[in-house]
Amino acid sequence: MRMTERTSNVTVKGQAASADEPWNAEITNKQIGYASLVCFIAWVASVYDYTLFGTLLPVIADDFGWTTAKATAVNTWATIGVFAVSLVVGTMLDRFGRKNTLILLVIGGALSSGLSGIAIGAASMVIIRAFSGFAVSEEVVNAVYLNEIYKKAKGRGFMFSLVQSGWPVGALLSAGMTAMLLPVVGWRGSFFVAACASIIVIVMAMKLPESPVFAAIKEVERRRKSGDAAGAAALAAEHDIEVNTGNNLGLKGVFGPELRRHTISLSLVWLFSWMAIQVFAVLGTTVLVEAKSVSFESSLYVLILANAVGFVGYLTHGWLGDRIGRRTTVMLGFLLGGIASVVMLLGPASDGFVYMMYAITLFFLLGPFAAILFYMGESFPAHVRGTGANVAHVMAPVGAIVGSGLVSVLLTAGVSMTWAAILAGSLPLMLSGLLMLGTRKVDHPEEDVLKEAVA
């Protein structure tokens, strides 16, 4: 009787139910489509900003008179700032909501882009680029928000891969727009263009619906504090969330006995995989120029080609994750990506071979992130979904710091860029694949659909 009454309240009263009981709001297909579009564009703009600095680093270094070692050191210190800024995102998600956090992060990314264009040296660039921690953390919002918006959608892993394919699209635009705009507006003007893209996203995000799951979490907490323990428990059971006991939320929750191994393993996966991201994606132009003697102009076109292949990698891994499980998909992808990068670096320096192997490397390096991000959302319980996803994700900038720092140390010590990239990028990528063995197993998506059909 209660379920019939609630369903009627949602479907018949429609918007009224959404206003009075947002936790019971029905997310329509139109809203799902709009949320997917906004999150996709937000991610494209965020990646555009984040990878633009790495893409332009050789030009910026030349303008300021930096050596290659100093340029990578500046990038390392900037990434430390990214890590510090990223720490607050999980708390923002669980306190301010998924929608509001998305808007705040895009604003932070816009500031990062705009201010980068007026940097006057290494110190100012490091401080400004720290704000890109908001931009790169936008994918945490996607992982949490869309996991809840897609809750009853079929093929949700593939749908999410379409959104997260914004990484190669953003990187593609970064390289493509740089090739077109650099001769006209210079590297400073290129950052101003990136800031304009973020402003569009902010306007679009204002119309997003808030996650009903987040609304339910807040209502459960309100009922509990008002003394309605029975009502809080009933709503929590209805939305498959837990009542706050003081010990199952925040860091206590994600590092409790049930989730500790999963949280640590997933965090290390992010750390090591992002060492590879830093080496082969963010510093891709530097690696290609120094390790394979590719000209800077040619390296931009290689990035464009490789990120186009990376886009296909996102869709492929998203589709595959719905069928064999996202955990297995991530494991296999990272292992193959590490192998491909070693072959590229140690193989012949012919243009065709380098272009092909770099594209394959990005296919298996970027693609698995479409699966791992959605996996993060479904592998953590709703009450710690924001905190858990962010605890793991903040290890991404740590990995970038370690990756960039290790490259700088190895180059300063006289190690060639080829072996620096292998030690700081290829081997960590393969290790991240193996670490997926320590993460939680989640019910196969096809089994979820069968269970829903039977119910």
Side-chain angles (χ1 to χ4, degrees):
M1 181 66 179
R2 180 179 298 173
M3 287 299 294
T4 303
E5 182 181 4
R6 183 182 71 80
T7 303
S8 176
N9 184 46
V10 173
T11 57
V12 176
K13 291 184 180 180
Q15 295 181 348
S18 299
D20 298 336
E21 298 181 349
W23 52 90
N24 284 334
E26 181 183 22
I27 301 299
T28 65
N29 289 334
K30 183 177 180 180
Q31 288 176 312
I32 290 176
Y34 184 73
S36 301
L37 176 63
V38 173
C39 288
F40 171 77
I41 298 176
W43 186 223
V44 169
S46 298
V47 173
Y48 190 152
D49 165 72
Y50 186 73
T51 59
L52 186 61
F53 178 63
T55 301
L56 290 172
L57 189 56
V59 178
I60 297 172
D62 184 63
D63 189 28
F64 285 126
W66 299 339
T67 62
T68 301
K70 183 174 181 179
T72 55
V74 168
N75 185 69
T76 300
W77 284 107
T79 310
I80 292 174
V82 169
F83 167 72
V85 170
S86 300
L87 290 174
V88 303
V89 175
T91 301
M92 291 170 64
L93 272 168
D94 289 334
R95 179 172 297 180
F96 303 129
R98 317 326 192 191
K99 172 185 173 180
N100 291 336
T101 301
L102 171 61
I103 295 172
L104 290 172
L105 295 191
V106 176
I107 291 174
L111 289 174
S112 170
S113 298
L115 294 177
S116 294
I118 61 174
I120 58 175
S124 61
M125 184 65 80
V126 167
I127 295 172
I128 291 169
R129 293 311 301 172
F131 287 98
S132 64
F134 286 120
V136 76
S137 295
E138 195 277 329
E139 66 179 342
V140 177
V141 182
N142 285 357
V144 173
Y145 178 62
L146 292 181
N147 187 279
E148 295 171 355
I149 293 293
Y150 292 168
K151 192 172 183 180
K152 297 182 179 179
K154 294 182 179 180
R156 54 193 186 275
F158 180 73
M159 291 169 60
F160 187 80
S161 72
L162 289 171
V163 175
Q164 284 305 118
S165 65
W167 176 283
V169 173
L172 187 67
L173 287 175
S174 175
M177 294 297 285
T178 296
M180 290 189 296
L181 295 176
L182 189 60
V184 180
V185 300
W187 65 266
R188 296 183 185 274
S190 298
F191 281 114
F192 293 142
V193 172
C196 293
S198 297
I199 296 174
I200 297 173
V201 180
I202 295 170
V203 176
M204 295 181 67
M206 300 294 288
K207 298 180 181 180
L208 285 173
E210 181 53 276
S211 161
V213 175
F214 176 75
I217 292 173
K218 303 307 287 185
E219 176 61 14
V220 167
E221 185 65 10
R222 187 196 67 78
R223 292 183 185 184
R224 187 189 67 82
K225 289 181 178 179
S226 67
D228 183 11
L235 184 60
E238 184 179 336
H239 288 274
D240 194 26
I241 57 180
E242 293 188 25
V243 178
N244 180 7
T245 64
N247 295 315
N248 64 345
L249 297 182
L251 294 178
K252 288 183 179 179
V254 298
F255 284 106
E258 182 183 352
L259 295 174
R260 184 183 301 122
R261 177 184 174 186
H262 173 66
T263 301
I264 293 174
S265 296
L266 195 56
S267 297
L268 291 176
V269 170
W270 276 96
L271 187 149
F272 288 115
S273 63
W274 262 74
M275 288 180 66
I277 285 286
Q278 189 72 5
V279 172
F280 296 116
V282 178
L283 296 176
T285 51
T286 303
V287 171
L288 289 172
V289 169
E290 299 294 332
K292 306 304 292 185
S293 300
V294 177
S295 68
F296 176 73
E297 291 75 15
S298 296
S299 70
L300 289 177
Y301 295 112
V302 176
L303 282 179
I304 294 172
L305 170 64
N307 278 288
V309 175
F311 173 82
V312 179
Y314 264 84
L315 301 186
T316 302
H317 287 82
W319 175 85
L320 192 61
D322 278 335
R323 282 150 182 81
I324 67 172
R326 284 171 263 281
R327 181 172 174 266
T328 302
T329 298
V330 173
M331 187 189 311
L332 294 176
F334 283 157
L335 286 172
L336 292 174
I339 294 171
S341 65
V342 172
V343 173
M344 176 195 73
L345 289 166
L346 296 181
S350 64
D351 289 348
F353 180 82
V354 172
Y355 296 173
M356 178 183 68
M357 294 310 302
Y358 186 63
I360 293 174
T361 297
L362 288 198
F363 179 91
F364 289 114
L365 169 61
L366 301 181
F369 283 96
I372 195 173
L373 281 159
F374 197 79
Y375 168 77
M376 274 206 309
E378 64 186 3
S379 65
F380 283 105
H383 64 287
V384 291
R385 186 164 289 148
T387 300
N390 194 59
V391 164
H393 187 267
V394 294
M395 297 307 292
V398 174
I401 293 167
V402 175
S404 180
L406 184 56
V407 169
S408 297
V409 170
L410 291 171
L411 291 177
T412 303
V415 177
S416 68
M417 177 60 83
T418 297
W419 281 103
I422 290 175
L423 295 174
S426 303
L427 296 183
L429 184 58
M430 287 185 275
L431 181 58
S432 66
L434 295 175
L435 282 165
M436 285 299 295
L437 293 171
T439 60
R440 296 176 77 194
K441 293 183 178 180
V442 179
D443 288 342
H444 195 282
E446 296 299 330
E447 294 177 354
D448 291 343
V449 174
L450 179 61
K451 291 176 182 177
E452 292 175 5
V454 172

